[in-house]
Amino acid sequence: MNRICICLVFVLSLISPFSSYAQAAEKRYVLTSADGKVQTEKWDLSGNGWSVRKETLHGGKQEGIELITIDNGVMQIVIIPTRGMSIYEVRNKEMRLGWNSPVEGIVHPSFVDLDSRGGLGWLEGFNEWMVRCGLEFAGHPGTDEFVNNTGDKATMDLTLHGKIGNIPASEVEVIVDSEAPHRIRVRGIVYEKFFYGPKLKLIAEVSVVPGEDTFRIDDTVTNLGSSDQEFQLIYHTNFGAPLLGKGTKLHTAIKKIAPMNEHAGKSINSYATYEGPTKDFIEQVYLIEPLSNEDGMTGAVLQNAKGNRAASMYWSTKQLPYLTIWKNTAATEDGYVTGIEPATGYPYNRKVERAAGRVPKLAPGKMRRFTIDCGLHNGTSAVKTATEKIKTIQGKHKVKIQPHPPTLNNN
Amino acid sequence: MNRICICLVFVLSLISPFSSYAQAAEKRYVLTSADGKVQTEKWDLSGNGWSVRKETLHGGKQEGIELITIDNGVMQIVIIPTRGMSIYEVRNKEMRLGWNSPVEGIVHPSFVDLDSRGGLGWLEGFNEWMVRCGLEFAGHPGTDEFVNNTGDKATMDLTLHGKIGNIPASEVEVIVDSEAPHRIRVRGIVYEKFFYGPKLKLIAEVSVVPGEDTFRIDDTVTNLGSSDQEFQLIYHTNFGAPLLGKGTKLHTAIKKIAPMNEHAGKSINSYATYEGPTKDFIEQVYLIEPLSNEDGMTGAVLQNAKGNRAASMYWSTKQLPYLTIWKNTAATEDGYVTGIEPATGYPYNRKVERAAGRVPKLAPGKMRRFTIDCGLHNGTSAVKTATEKIKTIQGKHKVKIQPHPPTLNNN
Amino acid sequence: MNRICICLVFVLSLISPFSSYAQAAEKRYVLTSADGKVQTEKWDLSGNGWSVRKETLHGGKQEGIELITIDNGVMQIVIIPTRGMSIYEVRNKEMRLGWNSPVEGIVHPSFVDLDSRGGLGWLEGFNEWMVRCGLEFAGHPGTDEFVNNTGDKATMDLTLHGKIGNIPASEVEVIVDSEAPHRIRVRGIVYEKFFYGPKLKLIAEVSVVPGEDTFRIDDTVTNLGSSDQEFQLIYHTNFGAPLLGKGTKLHTAIKKIAPMNEHAGKSINSYATYEGPTKDFIEQVYLIEPLSNEDGMTGAVLQNAKGNRAASMYWSTKQLPYLTIWKNTAATEDGYVTGIEPATGYPYNRKVERAAGRVPKLAPGKMRRFTIDCGLHNGTSAVKTATEKIKTIQGKHKVKIQPHPPTLNNN
């Protein structure tokens, strides 16, 4: 039985900004609509063993932050519409996808100045399990030199990991498929559109089937402008203790791996294993060209030392051809964390990425889709199944290990 | 009959911050008062065939934006107190003053970082029909070198078009004249006051008489500091389709016209006619010294190709001696728009404007007033009357066309 | 009898973020808790001759600002949790600690861009009686070169007076001691914690005993990171008319005094007396090494010309070894004010302060405490008692006056 707060429920019309997704058999609930002037402080909906709940946070820098929690009976997925549809955490009885960042609370974008600290302001709000980096640019801050739409040379100081993670969703809705297996979807639209700038539209969806231990991230990025538009997109997922710990292992299917700098190069042979929290640890970043199976799929599995807990992600290398592994096994107080980051490129400054041919363009009106299937695996057997899937992709293919960082073309 | 939400109505005392305007016969309603701690989520007032309505927007970057709509029975004027008393749009049955910017929604200033994108952050919120640029500075971003109050040489990185369009009004009131013709006024105070900075006070008023097809912008800027204070003010009005279209014509009374750069110089002979939406169009900007009649008045009329719709503006060249025409007939998705911008100067960086003698100063305690009368003209006859008025001002005076941009003194 | 808004009152659990302060006999009321998701638009509590009241401001740039006013029956202390627990003003029947800044209203941090105006954006919100400058850095803007945690040389553009005054408190509570004299405390936690940045926690407390004419600022700063952390802290207290006026005198106990620049050097002999409001006055800043008594205590007293009103501050030179006097007796409209600023250093850029050995470090987990006792003195006799206390500290110790500014090491 569904219990619905009638007063807060609106049915989207056919000319919804989400209309490209329209389906025959589903129920839609609009929680936020800049167009429709809808906003809800609290909201909830529940069904047979599942619920979706919206709340608004208060106090400190998190004043006004909206959270949506999907509970599918097995796990809870916490989404932050106010921070670009990031996923704060995913919990089940045994595990938590997420980490303990030194950033306190969930920071409202109005308290984040991306330009601060030399373009590193993004770090002042960084504590999600998954934050999208992009869309106009992602990766390291610094001055990008490029040819602009009018054919002139231009420069712009890029800020770390772009804007999309600090733009509130303009439209948010909850959709429940009417037919079995009654998938529950939380979908938001985040616009990165400016005058004399990009005109990009992200439709970000997180969905789950009641009772299952997997969930799906399913996004599209569309160029609403009249010219070709560069974009970058990094799915910055972050894992802390207890899944991450001394002896935790990373399983990936690799064509080629290289360190991001000489420091990381020194430890490249142990890229797949983790240390415990280490004071004054200096981050190590590895750049992977994933290997995919005949369906074009690749994946990554992070398993604990005991081998009885793991998290997995699977995606298409046609959609996200690059993977970055960020090892930051620093002291607990400073943020003990590793990043697994499927992306359209690597996290160098866009200038470097463009020179390397890793900055895709979207033609006017064109859309690209990005799907990541995520799972939580509990028990030795389930973990083994997940890691075997990666091993099967790797097969007998040899991993090409490049001990030194790539030569950068950043002129 | 007036219907008034009594609980939200406050009568301003004689020592109101608006007091320089005090009049005997009027009714005043305070909607916002930082001093009086008044704020209203919703409010409305209606009279004989007219109404004033306040609402607060939600969702995405427009969370918390306040809008006031005056409906005089003939047209609706939508004012944004939260964005410096800008006018979002003016609509009647036949026309709309406004444009379709790629900027989504009405952006709350807390989501605008003026410093971003190399000082072009202002563009991230730019979608109004009329936004004031200023007050300490307006025009292009870049480093200004100047002598500060202490007599020292100083530099400051100016951001595009200044701050006033992203400062919320501290005081907002609705005034209805008690005597015929019962003019309805929405008036706001926007302070651009900082310690060791300018101490400028803008009183911004939009008013209309019930049933008429004209409205008035009537502002004052006062220097509340103890020293002379430079200021700049551009009334950046912006027109899109359908008033703007292939064959749309601009009528202005001109002493002299020059292009802002060589690119615009190439098309200066067609400065007064418009193309349809054009992919990859590069903006053309023209700098006009308007001609005024014996009363010191000049004007501009924008009419559609058919000649049956027009918008007009009239103002005093003593108040606003310069006029900039911004032609940006780009693709619809990128913002198809033209700007008609009466101002105290041109939109070069303040350094250039100062060297050219176009940056006025206000002595301590002094005020300057700026009045623009705007009209919507429907039908061939009404359009003709409006354009004839401009032609009469031009008379037999020859337009001096300067094909090359002015030589800039920017040292 | 206490009157308590029951619905808004929450009792902190033993694992409160404030827990280091836990005491047996007190009543606690949580007004804001980011952790506990508590927020209150209005709140009040009153006892025998005293009250504490919380309100939320609206309108203009002060939209959403929270204020807490403690009235101890004799004076009212107005605290701004939203602006880092600054104290806006302290009033009693005869006096006001505070000043009339040209900054209008109490500015919400989301309207302050610290990077603007060349790193002077802090001034756009500056109008409190007491604002803390810090914690990662305080003092003048400019590029700091330093060695970062990873051992690399790094630079960062510091902004004036740091971030802490523009960070909203995450946790705010009111505590009333159960035992006589029933001290009333307002306590807030402000986190200056970022990923790859400082992990500092300020617990800021203002307290007062019912009926007394003194109050206490009692803070701790804790390093929650795993490495040593530099910090700076300036208690920037500001006094305007009528306490400040022509002939107002400053009493301090001084080991050594120097001007901050040559301009201030010219007037060093009159550092202790004030002029009336003076158009085009250029600020004079004096750097004092305070003398302390055998208990390590020093103080400052500001008295009016008549000698019948004074404000006093006493503190330990072990906690705050430096004192800056900022004379800015400018025109009333521009901000007629003097600053008395006990601090961990002087307000030079951190680069200068570090080279001079005035940037303290906190080891991991370590805390430092800062206590300032403030008094309002009414009547010739009370003023004399306060000034005598300073004279007693000075005793026969000679003041070393250094006529020229210190030589700076800023490489």
Side-chain angles (χ1 to χ4, degrees):
Chain A
M1 274 285 294
N2 281 8
R3 181 174 55 81
I4 297 166
C5 301
I6 295 297
C7 59
L8 298 170
V9 168
F10 298 77
V11 177
L12 266 185
S13 75
L14 288 176
I15 48 162
S16 146
F18 294 98
S19 58
S20 61
Y21 278 91
Q23 292 186 356
E26 58 188 27
K27 282 185 187 160
R28 290 170 169 247
Y29 311 92
V30 178
L31 274 60
T32 299
S33 174
D35 277 6
K37 299 182 182 174
V38 176
Q39 182 70 341
T40 50
E41 171 85 12
K42 284 188 178 194
W43 182 90
D44 62 86
L45 175 72
S46 61
N48 191 5
W50 60 266
S51 65
V52 184
R53 185 167 52 91
K54 179 184 164 179
E55 62 185 316
T56 303
L57 301 187
H58 296 288
K61 288 184 178 177
Q62 73 185 21
E63 182 64 36
I65 281 282
E66 300 173 297
L67 287 189
I68 296 176
T69 302
I70 313 177
D71 187 334
N72 79 334
V74 173
M75 66 175 128
Q76 295 82 46
I77 306 171
V78 182
I79 299 156
I80 321 169
T82 317
R83 290 184 57 80
M85 300 296 292
S86 290
I87 300 176
Y88 180 64
E89 62 178 7
V90 181
R91 298 180 307 254
N92 67 10
K93 250 183 285 180
E94 299 86 15
M95 291 173 61
R96 178 189 175 226
L97 310 187
W99 60 299
N100 296 318
S101 168
V103 172
E104 289 288 326
I106 299 177
V107 182
H108 194 281
S110 68
F111 291 110
V112 175
D113 175 4
L114 297 172
D115 288 306
S116 83
R117 303 180 76 84
L120 295 175
W122 185 88
L123 293 170
E124 300 192 10
F126 174 46
N127 62 9
E128 302 98 332
W129 170 65
M130 189 283 288
V131 51
R132 293 169 191 84
C133 307
L135 295 175
E136 185 187 8
F137 50 85
H140 287 186
T143 304
D144 182 18
E145 293 166 14
F146 60 105
V147 177
N148 68 17
N149 286 346
T150 66
D152 293 330
K153 273 194 188 177
T155 65
M156 187 161 70
D157 285 331
L158 308 185
T159 59
L160 178 69
H161 286 330
K163 300 198 175 206
I164 197 75
N166 284 281
I167 302 178
S170 292
E171 312 284 325
V172 180
E173 55 177 26
V174 175
I175 303 116
V176 183
D177 289 1
S178 297
E179 289 173 24
H182 305 295
R183 184 171 280 271
I184 305 158
R185 306 165 194 271
V186 172
R187 200 181 280 161
I189 299 184
V190 191
Y191 290 107
E192 193 172 315
K193 285 186 77 186
F194 316 125
F195 189 73
Y196 288 152
K199 282 99 191 163
L200 293 166
K201 177 187 184 178
L202 167 71
I203 303 185
E205 183 184 285
V206 177
S207 71
V208 69
V209 166
E212 294 200 352
D213 58 5
T214 61
F215 61 97
R216 174 173 288 181
I217 297 165
D218 195 359
D219 298 348
T220 62
V221 174
T222 306
N223 175 14
L224 300 177
S226 80
S227 306
D228 287 359
Q229 175 67 49
E230 288 187 341
F231 77 100
Q232 297 185 282
L233 181 56
I234 300 173
Y235 286 87
H236 205 307
T237 68
N238 307 291
F239 300 83
L243 183 61
L244 184 67
K246 185 171 168 53
T248 288
K249 280 194 191 113
L250 175 73
H251 301 264
T252 47
I254 299 181
K255 219 183 278 178
K256 200 170 87 181
I257 182 169
M260 197 166 184
N261 59 19
E262 292 291 355
H263 167 71
K266 288 176 206 160
S267 314
I268 195 162
N269 290 319
S270 56
Y271 80 91
T273 56
Y274 291 89
E275 295 299 320
T278 306
K279 194 170 151 355
D280 299 332
F281 184 89
I282 297 170
E283 64 167 21
Q284 297 166 351
V285 180
Y286 299 100
L287 312 172
I288 290 174
E289 249 177 73
L291 198 67
S292 56
N293 65 15
E294 59 225 6
D295 299 326
M297 300 300 289
T298 192
V301 172
L302 190 74
Q303 66 150 90
N304 67 358
K306 256 184 149 175
N308 65 345
R309 304 266 190 280
S312 67
M313 301 198 291
Y314 296 95
W315 67 92
S316 156
T317 54
K318 280 183 191 156
Q319 295 179 352
L320 298 163
Y322 301 99
L323 171 65
T324 298
I325 302 301
W326 170 54
K327 296 174 81 174
N328 192 68
T329 49
T332 300
E333 309 88 288
D334 298 339
Y336 176 70
V337 62
T338 188
I340 301 178
E341 311 172 19
T344 59
Y346 294 132
Y348 289 111
N349 185 276
R350 190 177 62 179
K351 184 169 57 170
V352 172
E353 290 296 296
R354 187 186 296 108
R358 288 188 300 260
V359 181
K361 278 188 183 180
L362 271 171
K366 292 298 173 193
M367 184 180 94
R368 275 188 56 179
R369 187 171 184 167
F370 305 94
T371 305
I372 303 177
D373 281 298
C374 308
L376 287 77
H377 309 277
N378 188 38
T380 318
S381 158
V383 170
K384 206 168 174 192
T385 306
T387 58
E388 285 301 325
K389 208 166 151 184
I390 302 293
K391 282 179 187 155
T392 305
I393 298 172
Q394 188 72 49
K396 296 188 176 167
H397 298 279
K398 221 183 150 181
V399 176
K400 187 175 167 193
I401 295 183
Q402 199 177 296
H404 296 288
T407 306
L408 305 185
N409 183 346
N410 53 13
N411 293 311
Chain B
M1 276 283 294
N2 283 6
R3 181 173 57 80
I4 297 166
C5 302
I6 296 297
C7 59
L8 298 171
V9 167
F10 297 77
V11 178
L12 267 185
S13 75
L14 289 177
I15 49 162
S16 145
F18 292 99
S19 57
S20 60
Y21 278 91
Q23 292 186 355
E26 58 186 28
K27 282 185 187 159
R28 290 170 169 246
Y29 311 92
V30 177
L31 274 61
T32 300
S33 174
D35 277 6
K37 299 182 182 174
V38 176
Q39 181 72 341
T40 51
E41 171 85 12
K42 284 187 178 195
W43 183 90
D44 63 84
L45 175 72
S46 58
N48 191 6
W50 59 266
S51 65
V52 184
R53 186 168 52 90
K54 179 183 164 179
E55 62 185 316
T56 303
L57 302 186
H58 296 288
K61 287 185 180 177
Q62 74 185 21
E63 182 64 35
I65 281 281
E66 300 173 297
L67 287 189
I68 297 175
T69 301
I70 313 177
D71 187 335
N72 78 335
V74 173
M75 66 175 129
Q76 294 83 46
I77 306 171
V78 182
I79 299 156
I80 321 168
T82 318
R83 289 184 57 80
M85 300 297 291
S86 291
I87 300 176
Y88 181 64
E89 63 179 5
V90 181
R91 299 181 306 255
N92 67 11
K93 250 182 283 180
E94 299 86 16
M95 290 173 62
R96 177 188 176 225
L97 309 188
W99 61 298
N100 296 317
S101 168
V103 172
E104 291 287 328
I106 299 177
V107 181
H108 195 281
S110 69
F111 291 111
V112 175
D113 175 3
L114 296 173
D115 287 306
S116 83
R117 302 181 75 83
L120 295 175
W122 186 88
L123 294 170
E124 300 192 11
F126 174 46
N127 62 8
E128 302 99 333
W129 169 65
M130 189 283 288
V131 51
R132 293 169 192 84
C133 307
L135 294 174
E136 184 186 9
F137 50 85
H140 288 186
T143 304
D144 183 18
E145 293 166 14
F146 60 105
V147 176
N148 68 17
N149 286 346
T150 65
D152 292 331
K153 273 194 190 178
T155 64
M156 187 161 69
D157 285 332
L158 308 185
T159 59
L160 178 69
H161 286 330
K163 300 198 175 206
I164 198 74
N166 284 281
I167 303 177
S170 291
E171 312 284 325
V172 180
E173 56 176 25
V174 175
I175 303 116
V176 182
D177 290 1
S178 298
E179 288 173 25
H182 305 294
R183 183 171 280 270
I184 304 157
R185 306 164 193 273
V186 172
R187 200 181 279 161
I189 297 184
V190 191
Y191 290 106
E192 193 172 315
K193 286 184 77 185
F194 316 126
F195 190 73
Y196 288 151
K199 282 97 190 165
L200 292 166
K201 176 188 184 178
L202 167 71
I203 304 186
E205 183 185 285
V206 177
S207 72
V208 69
V209 167
E212 294 200 353
D213 58 4
T214 61
F215 61 96
R216 174 174 287 179
I217 296 166
D218 195 0
D219 297 348
T220 61
V221 173
T222 306
N223 174 13
L224 300 177
S226 80
S227 306
D228 287 0
Q229 175 66 48
E230 288 187 341
F231 76 100
Q232 299 185 280
L233 180 57
I234 300 173
Y235 286 87
H236 205 307
T237 69
N238 307 290
F239 300 83
L243 183 61
L244 183 67
K246 185 171 168 52
T248 288
K249 279 193 192 114
L250 174 72
H251 301 265
T252 46
I254 298 181
K255 220 182 278 179
K256 202 171 86 180
I257 183 170
M260 197 166 183
N261 59 18
E262 292 291 355
H263 167 70
K266 288 175 204 158
S267 313
I268 195 162
N269 290 320
S270 56
Y271 79 91
T273 55
Y274 290 89
E275 296 299 320
T278 306
K279 194 169 151 358
D280 298 332
F281 184 89
I282 296 170
E283 64 167 19
Q284 297 166 350
V285 180
Y286 299 100
L287 311 173
I288 290 175
E289 250 177 72
L291 197 68
S292 56
N293 65 15
E294 60 225 5
D295 299 327
M297 300 300 289
T298 191
V301 173
L302 190 74
Q303 66 150 91
N304 68 357
K306 255 183 152 176
N308 65 344
R309 303 266 191 282
S312 67
M313 301 199 290
Y314 296 96
W315 67 93
S316 155
T317 55
K318 279 183 192 158
Q319 294 178 353
L320 297 163
Y322 302 98
L323 172 64
T324 297
I325 303 301
W326 171 54
K327 295 174 82 175
N328 192 68
T329 49
T332 300
E333 309 88 289
D334 298 339
Y336 175 69
V337 63
T338 187
I340 301 178
E341 311 172 18
T344 59
Y346 294 131
Y348 288 112
N349 185 275
R350 190 176 63 179
K351 184 168 58 169
V352 173
E353 290 297 295
R354 186 186 297 108
R358 289 188 300 260
V359 180
K361 277 189 182 181
L362 270 172
K366 292 298 173 191
M367 184 181 93
R368 275 188 56 179
R369 187 171 184 168
F370 305 94
T371 305
I372 303 177
D373 281 298
C374 307
L376 288 76
H377 309 277
N378 187 37
T380 318
S381 159
V383 170
K384 207 168 174 191
T385 305
T387 58
E388 285 302 326
K389 209 166 151 185
I390 302 293
K391 282 180 187 155
T392 305
I393 298 173
Q394 188 72 47
K396 297 187 173 166
H397 297 280
K398 223 183 148 182
V399 175
K400 187 174 167 193
I401 296 183
Q402 199 176 297
H404 295 289
T407 305
L408 305 185
N409 182 346
N410 54 13
N411 293 312
Chain C
M1 275 284 295
N2 282 5
R3 180 173 57 81
I4 297 166
C5 302
I6 295 297
C7 59
L8 299 170
V9 167
F10 298 76
V11 178
L12 267 185
S13 75
L14 288 176
I15 49 161
S16 146
F18 294 98
S19 57
S20 60
Y21 278 91
Q23 292 186 355
E26 59 187 27
K27 283 185 186 159
R28 291 171 168 245
Y29 311 93
V30 178
L31 274 61
T32 300
S33 173
D35 276 6
K37 299 182 182 175
V38 176
Q39 181 72 340
T40 51
E41 170 85 12
K42 284 187 179 195
W43 183 89
D44 62 85
L45 176 72
S46 59
N48 191 5
W50 59 267
S51 66
V52 183
R53 187 168 50 90
K54 179 183 165 180
E55 62 185 317
T56 303
L57 301 187
H58 296 288
K61 287 184 179 178
Q62 72 185 23
E63 182 64 35
I65 280 281
E66 300 173 296
L67 287 190
I68 297 175
T69 301
I70 313 177
D71 187 336
N72 79 335
V74 173
M75 66 175 128
Q76 295 81 46
I77 305 171
V78 182
I79 298 156
I80 321 169
T82 317
R83 290 185 57 79
M85 299 296 291
S86 290
I87 301 176
Y88 180 63
E89 62 179 6
V90 181
R91 299 180 306 256
N92 68 9
K93 251 183 283 179
E94 299 86 15
M95 290 173 62
R96 178 189 175 226
L97 309 188
W99 61 299
N100 296 317
S101 168
V103 173
E104 291 286 328
I106 299 177
V107 181
H108 195 281
S110 67
F111 291 110
V112 175
D113 174 4
L114 297 173
D115 287 307
S116 83
R117 303 180 75 82
L120 295 175
W122 186 88
L123 293 170
E124 300 192 9
F126 174 44
N127 62 8
E128 301 98 334
W129 169 64
M130 190 283 288
V131 51
R132 293 170 192 82
C133 307
L135 296 175
E136 185 187 7
F137 50 85
H140 287 186
T143 305
D144 183 18
E145 293 165 14
F146 60 105
V147 176
N148 69 16
N149 286 347
T150 65
D152 292 331
K153 274 194 190 180
T155 65
M156 187 162 68
D157 286 331
L158 308 185
T159 58
L160 179 67
H161 286 330
K163 300 197 176 208
I164 197 76
N166 284 280
I167 303 177
S170 292
E171 311 284 325
V172 180
E173 57 176 25
V174 175
I175 304 116
V176 182
D177 288 0
S178 298
E179 288 172 24
H182 304 295
R183 184 171 280 271
I184 305 157
R185 307 164 193 272
V186 172
R187 199 180 280 162
I189 298 184
V190 191
Y191 290 106
E192 192 172 316
K193 286 185 76 185
F194 316 125
F195 189 72
Y196 287 153
K199 282 98 191 163
L200 293 167
K201 176 187 184 178
L202 167 70
I203 303 186
E205 183 185 284
V206 178
S207 71
V208 68
V209 166
E212 294 201 351
D213 58 6
T214 61
F215 62 97
R216 175 174 286 181
I217 297 165
D218 195 359
D219 299 349
T220 62
V221 174
T222 306
N223 175 13
L224 300 177
S226 81
S227 305
D228 287 358
Q229 175 66 48
E230 288 187 341
F231 76 100
Q232 299 184 281
L233 181 56
I234 299 173
Y235 286 87
H236 205 307
T237 69
N238 307 291
F239 301 83
L243 183 62
L244 183 66
K246 185 171 167 53
T248 288
K249 280 193 191 116
L250 175 72
H251 301 264
T252 47
I254 299 181
K255 219 182 279 179
K256 200 169 88 179
I257 181 170
M260 197 166 183
N261 59 19
E262 292 291 355
H263 167 71
K266 289 175 205 159
S267 313
I268 196 162
N269 290 320
S270 55
Y271 80 90
T273 56
Y274 291 90
E275 296 298 319
T278 306
K279 195 169 151 353
D280 298 332
F281 184 90
I282 297 170
E283 64 167 21
Q284 297 166 351
V285 180
Y286 299 99
L287 311 173
I288 290 174
E289 249 177 73
L291 198 67
S292 57
N293 65 15
E294 60 225 5
D295 299 325
M297 300 300 289
T298 192
V301 172
L302 190 74
Q303 66 150 90
N304 68 358
K306 256 184 149 174
N308 65 345
R309 304 264 190 283
S312 67
M313 301 197 293
Y314 296 95
W315 68 91
S316 155
T317 54
K318 279 183 192 158
Q319 294 179 352
L320 298 164
Y322 302 99
L323 172 65
T324 297
I325 302 300
W326 170 53
K327 295 174 81 174
N328 192 67
T329 50
T332 300
E333 309 87 289
D334 298 340
Y336 176 69
V337 62
T338 188
I340 302 178
E341 311 171 19
T344 59
Y346 295 131
Y348 289 111
N349 185 275
R350 190 177 62 179
K351 184 168 57 172
V352 172
E353 291 296 295
R354 187 186 296 108
R358 289 187 300 261
V359 180
K361 277 188 184 182
L362 271 171
K366 290 299 173 191
M367 184 181 94
R368 275 188 55 178
R369 186 171 185 167
F370 305 94
T371 306
I372 304 177
D373 281 297
C374 308
L376 288 76
H377 309 277
N378 188 37
T380 319
S381 158
V383 170
K384 207 168 173 192
T385 305
T387 58
E388 285 301 326
K389 208 165 151 184
I390 302 295
K391 282 179 188 155
T392 304
I393 298 173
Q394 187 72 49
K396 296 188 175 167
H397 297 279
K398 222 182 148 182
V399 176
K400 186 174 168 194
I401 296 183
Q402 198 176 296
H404 296 288
T407 305
L408 305 185
N409 182 346
N410 52 13
N411 292 312

